[in-house]
Amino acid sequence: MCSMRRARRSVENELRRHGHARPRARTGPAVIRPAGDMAAPASRGSLRDLGEFRLIAALKRSFATPRPELIRGIGDDAAVIRWSADSHLLISTDLLTEQVHFDRHFASTYDIGYRGAVANLSDIAAMGGQPLYVLAALALPPSCSINDVRSLYRGMMAPCRKAGVALIGGDTSASRAGLHVTITILGRVEPNRVLTRNGARIGDILYVSGTLGDAYAGLRLLQASARSQSIPLIPPRFHQFLRARHLRPTARLALGRLLSTRQLASAAIDLSDGLSGDLGHLCRESRVGAEIDSTALPLSKPCRTLAAAWNQDPMDWALTGGEDYELLFTVPQDRQHRLERLARSRGEPITPIGRICSPRYGIRLKMPDGTTRNIAPTSYEHFRSSL
Amino acid sequence: MCSMRRARRSVENELRRHGHARPRARTGPAVIRPAGDMAAPASRGSLRDLGEFRLIAALKRSFATPRPELIRGIGDDAAVIRWSADSHLLISTDLLTEQVHFDRHFASTYDIGYRGAVANLSDIAAMGGQPLYVLAALALPPSCSINDVRSLYRGMMAPCRKAGVALIGGDTSASRAGLHVTITILGRVEPNRVLTRNGARIGDILYVSGTLGDAYAGLRLLQASARSQSIPLIPPRFHQFLRARHLRPTARLALGRLLSTRQLASAAIDLSDGLSGDLGHLCRESRVGAEIDSTALPLSKPCRTLAAAWNQDPMDWALTGGEDYELLFTVPQDRQHRLERLARSRGEPITPIGRICSPRYGIRLKMPDGTTRNIAPTSYEHFRSSL
């Protein structure tokens, strides 16, 4: 969720602009361009011209400082620091901004705190680590009551306590406009057990946990309700399931630990930007390509049902919906059998969805008819779309 | 600067409301009230009714979780975590909000980044630690250009690089309104060498580094210029000095290390809220009182000159101005001679300003005529004054 390279997908905004149009990934141009120099002509322009990913690449080039104890700095789900012989420190920070990452018309401050915490916990899960401590910095607008603030902390601490994470500090301030929440998480991981984005090798099997697109489907339902738009006739339990997947996502901490401690995965990332965007990050960092089998994408029945009712393709939601906080990871073929056995015995839902290919192959989606098409590594870029 | 108990003083706002009135500390009622329960009637009210310090006290009671490795959680300049046999980890997070902590009419994004970094570095200095890593989460409004963002990072990294601190991550997002900057800092300190707020003992000598009130004086000058108000006829180098003390403060890292490694201080805190507020925090945490000698307060000539030109008392600025980022610390009498000798040899400017008394004595200021008066432990509280 964090580390500077990561843009958070904000489907709220996108939908606000596009109504019920198909996710932007398919309609717009590819938004990730070769990183330019921030000092070049673009530096005199607007953030919209540069785009978030180029901004972050330029910041990384300008300001990242190598240090001997720094195992991974800017460029992964969390930074990794060598701290003692038996443990590395993991740290990640994450910003949630009103009207960009959440909408208080249908998300309570409890929901906002809860999702913010899960986004951070998910970063630690994607590194194979154990989360330990959390800090929160809140800028509170006049519209926030004491109960709102208490609810925000309660929401944040619900998944944290479940994961054994303690609140150790933070900062509070008034805000002239909008609620802003920055959560910082500290974790621990054993040396040589860190999962990173850059370890995928050609031939590895690509896996994903859980089901994809649910959080986006839930968001669409919440937005429709908030605007008193008609809701399709799908079973109430489907509504509940999808809303909960948006408002109460699950960080895959146990799965991350399994992949890390048993050395099952070669690379991992958490799905915050959506499969196409996060797979793009993983492939770029590992310098590989990938092929996804479209028929293998795990879609829940509620998600498929809602998509059908709205006459949309749930695969689009799975690819670009974002904020599922599932893990995307790669596994060498010779460890596949062991992984599947262990995951089954632990009740961790995982699905093989494709394989890692040569970088020349690019990132492609295999359709049911056997044809393939390129997947644009599309992620939501804040500055291009919301400024 | 951080840890949840700390409110940042925002003299900008205060002046916006009061014009050139005397700092609020002397005119308003004491703003720190006994902490109440957030679930009590106040919970249904507004943040303004509760006040920031009661909010934070209530959050601490509700959410702080003891853990065996946690040496200090919420309630000091930084949290302290036992991590390995030879080093504790220090961590602190700090939020800067537009129109609350800074004013872009006279502070560039470079200035904002610079001061934000110093505020964080100062937290590590106050704990006696060595700062190591920094993360930044930025919410960027449409009015920010690429150059603004680059300048912000440059400003932030200028004091960080000087202190050997590396940027290892962060998050960027669009903001619908206002620039919000959250900086998180990681540092290290040897076990048994941590400086905390709660170690002051009756009879200890109270010291402060540098001079006080300069940052506030500089702010007043900057505001007057931005509003095209008349500037008093004081030497241009005084203007420069005071502006720099506001825009380019210095974190007292070397002094903090000296106090910690040589075990000279019994307690320490950095001056972000102003002497009266931060001395209040230190006394409350140590359960002691204090007497300050008003004639001993270190005031720079530029500060005294400007105050005289505006017909104000510079002692008020020293007591309540805030954001000087100097260290306030207590030293047992038997270590006083050694401290003064070491500080002199290192070129660290320190001044004894009073002594620690019984808690019954309260916190009092000794006037030149020998009388004493209570110092209200006044700090700027965001929710009371700016919402």
Side-chain angles (χ1 to χ4, degrees):
Chain A
M1 208 14 29
C2 122
S3 82
M4 301 183 52
R5 317 202 56 222
R6 182 86 67 90
R8 184 193 306 274
R9 179 161 175 71
S10 169
V11 274
E12 289 91 335
N13 274 332
E14 190 177 310
L15 284 177
R16 195 168 298 120
R17 290 181 305 115
H18 294 299
H20 281 181
R22 286 154 66 91
R24 197 168 49 87
R26 296 301 171 78
T27 54
V31 289
I32 297 178
R33 300 189 305 195
D37 188 325
M38 227 177 15
S43 70
R44 288 184 293 278
S46 71
L47 289 168
R48 196 203 303 255
D49 295 334
L50 187 68
E52 187 177 14
F53 291 110
R54 281 179 75 205
L55 167 70
I56 290 167
L59 291 173
K60 184 178 171 181
R61 272 198 312 283
S62 302
F63 299 107
T65 327
R67 282 181 69 112
E69 326 82 48
L70 189 62
I71 316 265
R72 292 281 285 174
I74 299 166
D76 219 308
D77 293 84
V80 187
I81 301 165
R82 183 180 294 119
W83 200 273
S84 68
D86 61 352
S87 70
H88 289 343
L89 187 142
L90 300 171
I91 185 163
S92 172
T93 194
D94 217 7
L95 175 67
L96 299 166
T97 298
E98 185 158 358
Q99 297 300 330
V100 175
H101 301 104
F102 56 83
D103 186 332
R104 285 172 67 199
H105 290 105
F106 55 81
S108 69
T109 51
Y110 186 99
D111 299 328
I112 295 161
Y114 196 107
R115 273 181 59 220
V118 168
N120 272 267
L121 293 168
S122 183
D123 282 330
I124 301 296
M127 305 298 288
Q130 180 195 2
L132 295 173
Y133 299 103
V134 71
L135 300 94
L138 310 183
L140 300 165
S143 59
C144 268
S145 72
I146 296 159
N147 270 341
D148 289 334
V149 177
R150 193 172 47 170
S151 289
L152 197 152
Y153 274 92
R154 278 194 182 149
M156 187 180 84
M157 290 312 293
C160 282
R161 280 187 168 146
K162 220 169 137 184
V165 173
L167 179 69
I168 57 168
D171 199 6
T172 56
S173 158
S175 164
R176 292 280 152 182
L179 174 62
H180 296 253
V181 181
T182 304
I183 301 179
T184 300
I185 197 158
L186 269 182
R188 185 199 305 263
V189 67
E190 299 80 3
N192 306 318
R193 292 292 182 277
V194 190
L195 299 178
T196 60
R197 298 176 177 183
N198 64 358
R201 297 291 169 262
I202 296 169
D204 287 356
I205 313 296
L206 197 58
Y207 276 86
V208 74
S209 65
T211 51
L212 305 183
D214 297 335
Y216 182 81
L219 174 66
R220 299 273 306 253
L221 273 178
L222 287 161
Q223 287 176 318
S225 296
R227 295 176 192 145
S228 308
Q229 290 167 347
S230 66
I231 303 281
L233 279 173
I234 62 170
R237 69 177 190 281
F238 284 9
H239 280 258
Q240 275 172 2
F241 172 85
L242 294 173
R243 273 186 212 142
R245 290 279 285 166
H246 178 73
L247 297 175
R248 302 274 188 281
T250 306
R252 296 288 183 182
L253 286 161
L255 177 60
R257 289 299 285 163
L258 182 69
L259 298 176
S260 133
T261 56
R262 302 300 185 103
Q263 294 183 285
L264 295 166
S266 51
I269 189 170
D270 84 314
L271 290 176
S272 52
D273 293 348
L275 178 59
S276 64
D278 289 316
L279 179 58
H281 297 316
L282 189 146
C283 287
R284 200 167 40 250
E285 290 283 320
S286 296
R287 299 170 191 272
V288 295
E291 185 179 87
I292 292 180
D293 178 357
S294 64
T295 61
L297 291 176
L299 300 168
S300 70
K301 193 170 177 190
C303 179
R304 280 183 281 118
T305 308
L306 182 69
W310 268 334
N311 200 23
Q312 302 221 345
D313 187 346
M315 193 173 66
D316 282 348
W317 296 0
L319 285 170
T320 63
E323 298 196 318
D324 280 316
Y325 301 118
E326 296 295 347
L327 294 187
L328 174 71
F329 55 99
T330 57
V331 177
Q333 286 183 1
D334 59 2
R335 299 182 208 164
Q336 198 181 358
H337 178 69
R338 203 166 133 245
L339 164 73
E340 302 226 342
R341 187 170 42 80
L342 280 166
R344 207 163 30 239
S345 74
R346 307 281 181 96
E348 294 290 342
I350 59 168
T351 309
I353 59 166
R355 61 196 177 83
I356 296 299
C357 310
S358 142
R360 282 193 309 271
Y361 184 77
I363 305 177
R364 303 179 73 86
L365 186 69
K366 195 174 157 193
M367 303 307 291
D369 62 6
T371 61
T372 64
R373 62 190 203 202
N374 282 320
I375 302 177
T378 306
S379 292
Y380 181 85
E381 286 205 74
H382 290 125
F383 309 118
R384 287 188 185 283
S385 47
S386 65
L387 292 187
Chain B
M1 211 9 38
C2 120
S3 81
M4 297 183 54
R5 315 200 58 219
R6 181 87 67 90
R8 184 194 308 273
R9 181 160 174 71
S10 169
V11 273
E12 289 92 334
N13 274 332
E14 188 177 313
L15 284 177
R16 195 168 298 119
R17 292 180 304 114
H18 294 299
H20 281 183
R22 286 155 65 94
R24 196 167 48 87
R26 295 300 171 79
T27 53
V31 289
I32 297 180
R33 300 188 303 197
D37 189 325
M38 228 179 11
S43 70
R44 289 183 291 279
S46 71
L47 289 167
R48 196 204 301 255
D49 295 334
L50 187 68
E52 186 177 13
F53 292 109
R54 282 179 74 205
L55 167 69
I56 290 168
L59 291 172
K60 183 178 171 181
R61 272 199 311 282
S62 300
F63 298 108
T65 327
R67 283 181 67 112
E69 326 83 49
L70 189 61
I71 316 267
R72 291 281 284 173
I74 299 165
D76 218 308
D77 293 85
V80 187
I81 301 165
R82 184 179 295 120
W83 201 273
S84 67
D86 60 353
S87 71
H88 290 344
L89 188 143
L90 300 171
I91 185 164
S92 171
T93 194
D94 216 7
L95 175 67
L96 299 166
T97 298
E98 185 159 357
Q99 298 301 330
V100 176
H101 301 104
F102 55 83
D103 186 332
R104 285 173 66 199
H105 291 105
F106 54 80
S108 68
T109 52
Y110 186 98
D111 299 329
I112 295 160
Y114 196 107
R115 273 181 60 221
V118 169
N120 272 267
L121 292 168
S122 183
D123 283 328
I124 301 296
M127 305 298 288
Q130 179 195 2
L132 295 173
Y133 299 104
V134 70
L135 300 93
L138 310 182
L140 301 163
S143 60
C144 269
S145 71
I146 296 160
N147 269 341
D148 289 334
V149 177
R150 193 172 47 171
S151 290
L152 197 153
Y153 273 92
R154 278 193 183 149
M156 187 180 85
M157 291 312 294
C160 282
R161 280 187 168 143
K162 219 168 138 185
V165 173
L167 178 69
I168 56 169
D171 200 6
T172 57
S173 158
S175 164
R176 293 278 152 182
L179 173 62
H180 296 252
V181 181
T182 304
I183 300 178
T184 300
I185 197 157
L186 269 183
R188 186 200 305 265
V189 68
E190 299 80 4
N192 306 319
R193 291 293 182 276
V194 190
L195 299 178
T196 60
R197 298 176 178 183
N198 64 356
R201 297 290 168 262
I202 296 170
D204 288 356
I205 313 297
L206 197 58
Y207 277 87
V208 74
S209 65
T211 50
L212 304 183
D214 297 336
Y216 182 82
L219 173 67
R220 299 273 306 253
L221 274 178
L222 287 162
Q223 287 175 318
S225 296
R227 294 176 193 145
S228 308
Q229 289 167 349
S230 66
I231 304 280
L233 279 174
I234 63 170
R237 68 177 191 283
F238 285 8
H239 281 258
Q240 273 173 4
F241 172 86
L242 294 173
R243 272 185 214 144
R245 290 278 286 167
H246 179 72
L247 297 174
R248 302 274 188 283
T250 306
R252 297 287 184 184
L253 285 162
L255 177 61
R257 289 299 284 161
L258 182 70
L259 298 177
S260 132
T261 57
R262 302 300 185 103
Q263 294 184 283
L264 296 165
S266 51
I269 188 171
D270 83 316
L271 290 177
S272 51
D273 293 349
L275 178 59
S276 65
D278 289 316
L279 179 58
H281 296 315
L282 189 145
C283 287
R284 198 166 42 249
E285 289 284 319
S286 296
R287 299 166 192 273
V288 294
E291 183 179 87
I292 292 179
D293 178 357
S294 64
T295 62
L297 290 177
L299 299 169
S300 70
K301 191 169 177 191
C303 179
R304 280 184 281 116
T305 308
L306 183 69
W310 268 332
N311 200 23
Q312 303 223 343
D313 188 347
M315 195 174 64
D316 281 349
W317 297 359
L319 284 169
T320 64
E323 298 197 316
D324 281 317
Y325 301 118
E326 297 294 347
L327 295 187
L328 175 71
F329 55 99
T330 57
V331 177
Q333 287 182 1
D334 59 2
R335 299 182 209 163
Q336 199 181 359
H337 178 69
R338 202 164 134 244
L339 164 74
E340 301 227 341
R341 187 168 44 79
L342 280 167
R344 208 163 30 240
S345 73
R346 307 282 180 95
E348 294 290 342
I350 59 169
T351 309
I353 59 166
R355 60 194 179 84
I356 296 298
C357 309
S358 142
R360 281 193 309 270
Y361 184 77
I363 304 177
R364 302 179 74 85
L365 186 69
K366 194 174 158 193
M367 303 307 290
D369 64 4
T371 60
T372 63
R373 61 189 204 205
N374 282 322
I375 302 177
T378 306
S379 292
Y380 182 83
E381 286 205 76
H382 289 127
F383 308 119
R384 287 190 185 281
S385 48
S386 66
L387 291 186

